[in-house]
Amino acid sequence: MAKDAKPADDGADAPPKKSKKLLIIIIVLVLLLLVGGGAAAFLLMGSNHDEELDEDEVAEETVKKPAKKKDNALPPTFVNLDPFTVNLVPEVGDQYLQVALSLELDTPESQAQLALLMPRIRNNVTLLLSSKKASELQPKEGKEKLATEIMDEINGGINPPTKNKRGELVPSEGPVVSVLFTSFIIQ
């Protein structure tokens, strides 16, 4: 009987070994599921975070336009405008400004768009020029500032500025790259 008792003891030891292996396998599987679930949640939350941008960032991104690629092989396109003659804001008597402009455009196709809107453009530039004083326009910096303002005014007439989420006007980019003075006379 002693021999029969030993196998019974061996049988009692064997089931705990199987349960330990089974327990280890279950723990490993649970850990793998947790790690996999955590990785999936991280990936889903990460892609969701990219979509939920700040309101200002969304507004700025919608206003921005892709940068126009300038083909260096094409010569620049220039358009001459008829001369402008306006009364300046009086400082010491009546003063007049006569100015002739050339506009550099980004593409040759922009010339047609500019021609269609010429009455609006001439109106905006005339209003801008007549709001200036002779003393503002005398120095070189004044003329450079005026050229920038004319460019913004023309581009704004073609592509009106838009408002961002804060209500601020965002200037639009237009076809005019630069404004060149071909004649500038103050009397």
Side-chain angles (χ1 to χ4, degrees):
M1 280 203 151
K3 288 184 179 180
D4 288 338
K6 275 190 174 181
D9 288 339
D10 287 339
D13 290 340
K17 287 184 181 179
K18 284 185 180 179
S19 66
K20 284 184 181 179
K21 286 181 183 179
L22 183 62
L23 183 63
I24 291 174
I25 291 173
I26 291 174
I27 291 174
V28 168
L29 287 175
V30 169
L31 286 175
L32 285 174
L33 285 175
L34 287 175
V35 169
F42 176 76
L43 291 175
L44 290 176
M45 297 298 247
S47 66
N48 225 5
H49 177 68
D50 290 342
E51 293 173 3
E52 297 175 4
L53 295 175
D54 191 46
E55 287 182 2
D56 297 334
E57 291 174 351
V58 170
E60 289 176 9
E61 286 182 7
T62 57
V63 170
K64 290 182 183 176
K65 294 183 178 179
K68 296 179 182 176
K69 294 180 182 177
K70 197 171 186 180
D71 188 7
N72 292 335
L74 292 176
T77 303
F78 292 99
V79 174
N80 293 322
L81 299 183
D82 293 333
F84 292 88
T85 304
V86 296
N87 293 330
L88 294 174
V89 175
E91 290 180 305
V92 284
D94 290 338
Q95 292 182 306
Y96 306 97
L97 171 67
Q98 183 180 24
V99 63
L101 303 172
S102 289
L103 305 176
E104 182 180 358
L105 304 178
D106 57 355
T107 62
E109 295 82 25
S110 301
Q111 190 170 0
Q113 183 181 18
L114 192 73
L116 289 173
L117 297 172
M118 191 54 69
R120 179 186 299 162
I121 291 168
R122 286 197 60 83
N123 176 63
N124 292 354
V125 172
T126 301
L127 291 175
L128 176 67
L129 292 173
S130 63
S131 70
K132 298 295 179 183
K133 295 180 182 179
S135 60
E136 295 173 4
L137 303 176
Q138 292 289 344
K140 180 182 177 186
E141 294 80 20
K143 291 176 182 73
E144 290 171 347
K145 181 180 176 194
L146 179 63
T148 304
E149 290 175 351
I150 291 171
M151 182 179 68
D152 293 341
E153 195 68 38
I154 293 171
N155 286 337
I158 294 171
N159 296 326
T162 57
K163 288 187 177 183
N164 63 10
K165 294 283 184 179
R166 296 180 194 157
E168 301 167 339
L169 282 178
V170 178
S172 60
E173 293 183 19
V176 178
V177 176
S178 66
V179 173
L180 308 166
F181 295 113
T182 55
S183 174
F184 199 95
I185 301 170
I186 297 176
Q187 284 187 334

